[in-house]
């Protein structure tokens, strides 16, 4: 069965998450240096059947897009779509995911030193983005 991949694209580190085969739960997968993201995905997509990716859409509180990082995300998405045209790309508003991820790290009891690691923060953020997508998708299917 295919799965869905979640991506919290960052300037330096990109967090990744993945669903279970029934597409109910999101799990943290990895964090990779953004410059190595395509290489990681190339080897990962050989092993896993991914039908869709959900990429965070960075917005400001006033609903405007974060222009600088969004430009980089668009370049990545274009490159990804050319290489993997059959994989569906979805976007999801990622406002507050970093804050929620940081609060989660505190609730989990992670020490201050570990909370400073962007690797963990980005992976949790990617998981929140993907789980939010799954929850929204389920709500939408109940309405329709």
């Amino acid at each position: 069965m295919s799965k869905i991949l979640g991506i919290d694209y960052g300037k330096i580190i990109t967090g990744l998450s993945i669903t279970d085969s029934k597409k109910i739960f999101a799990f943290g997968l990895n964090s990779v240096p953004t410059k190595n993201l395509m290489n990681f995905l190339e080897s990962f997509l050989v092993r896993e059947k991914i039908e869709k990716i959900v990429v965070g859409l960075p917005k400001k509180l006033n609903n405007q897009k974060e222009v600088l990082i969004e430009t980089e995300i668009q370049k990545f998405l274009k490159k990804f779509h050319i290489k993997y045209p059959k994989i569906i790309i979805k976007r999801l508003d990622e406002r507050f995911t970093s804050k929620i991820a940081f609060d989660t790290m505190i609730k989990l009891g992670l020490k201050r030193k570990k909370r400073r690691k962007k690797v963990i923060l980005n992976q949790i953020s990617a998981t929140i983005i993907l789980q939010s997508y799954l929850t929204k998708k389920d709500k939408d299917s109940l309405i329709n």
Side-chain angles (χ1 to χ4, degrees), residues 88-102:
I88 299 164
I89 299 171
K90 295 286 185 177
R91 302 295 304 274
L92 188 81
D93 185 347
E94 67 172 39
R95 277 179 285 189
F96 306 113
T97 55
S98 292
K99 172 79 171 115
I100 294 167
F102 188 77

Side-chain angles (χ1 to χ4, degrees), residues 69-117:
I69 191 68
E70 181 60 22
T71 302
E72 295 302 313
I73 293 171
Q74 288 299 323
K75 287 178 191 174
F76 161 73
L77 292 177
K78 185 175 182 181
K79 195 170 163 181
F80 184 90
H81 181 67
I82 289 168
K83 188 150 184 91
Y84 305 101
K86 292 183 180 176
I87 297 177
I88 299 164
I89 299 171
K90 295 286 185 177
R91 302 295 304 274
L92 188 81
D93 185 347
E94 67 172 39
R95 277 179 285 189
F96 306 113
T97 55
S98 292
K99 172 79 171 115
I100 294 167
F102 188 77
D103 289 346
T104 301
M105 291 168 68
I106 291 171
K107 288 177 185 166
L108 290 172
L110 294 179
K111 302 288 182 212
R112 186 174 296 213
K113 189 175 181 180
K114 278 210 171 186
R115 290 195 309 252
R116 284 193 206 124
K117 294 186 178 184

Side-chain angles (χ1 to χ4, degrees), residues 111-126:
K111 302 288 182 212
R112 186 174 296 213
K113 189 175 181 180
K114 278 210 171 186
R115 290 195 309 252
R116 284 193 206 124
K117 294 186 178 184
K118 293 282 278 176
V119 172
I120 298 169
L121 184 72
N122 289 32
Q123 188 174 335
I124 294 171
S125 293

Side-chain angles (χ1 to χ4, degrees), residues 2-13:
S2 63
K3 297 178 182 179
I4 303 172
L5 186 69
I7 299 177
D8 178 34
Y9 191 95
K11 199 174 268 190
I12 298 169
I13 300 286

Side-chain angles (χ1 to χ4, degrees), residues 8-58:
D8 178 34
Y9 191 95
K11 199 174 268 190
I12 298 169
I13 300 286
T14 294
L16 301 167
S17 59
I18 192 164
T19 63
D20 61 314
S21 57
K22 293 183 180 179
K23 300 177 200 105
I24 298 171
F25 299 107
F27 301 94
L29 176 66
N30 206 340
S31 287
V32 297
T34 301
K35 65 182 179 184
N36 301 336
L37 180 58
M38 280 303 286
N39 290 337
F40 175 86
L41 291 174
E42 285 172 11
S43 63
F44 179 75
L45 294 173
V46 169
R47 298 184 313 265
E48 287 283 348
K49 186 174 181 188
I50 300 296
E51 73 173 51
K52 186 183 299 182
I53 63 170
V54 178
V55 182
L57 177 62

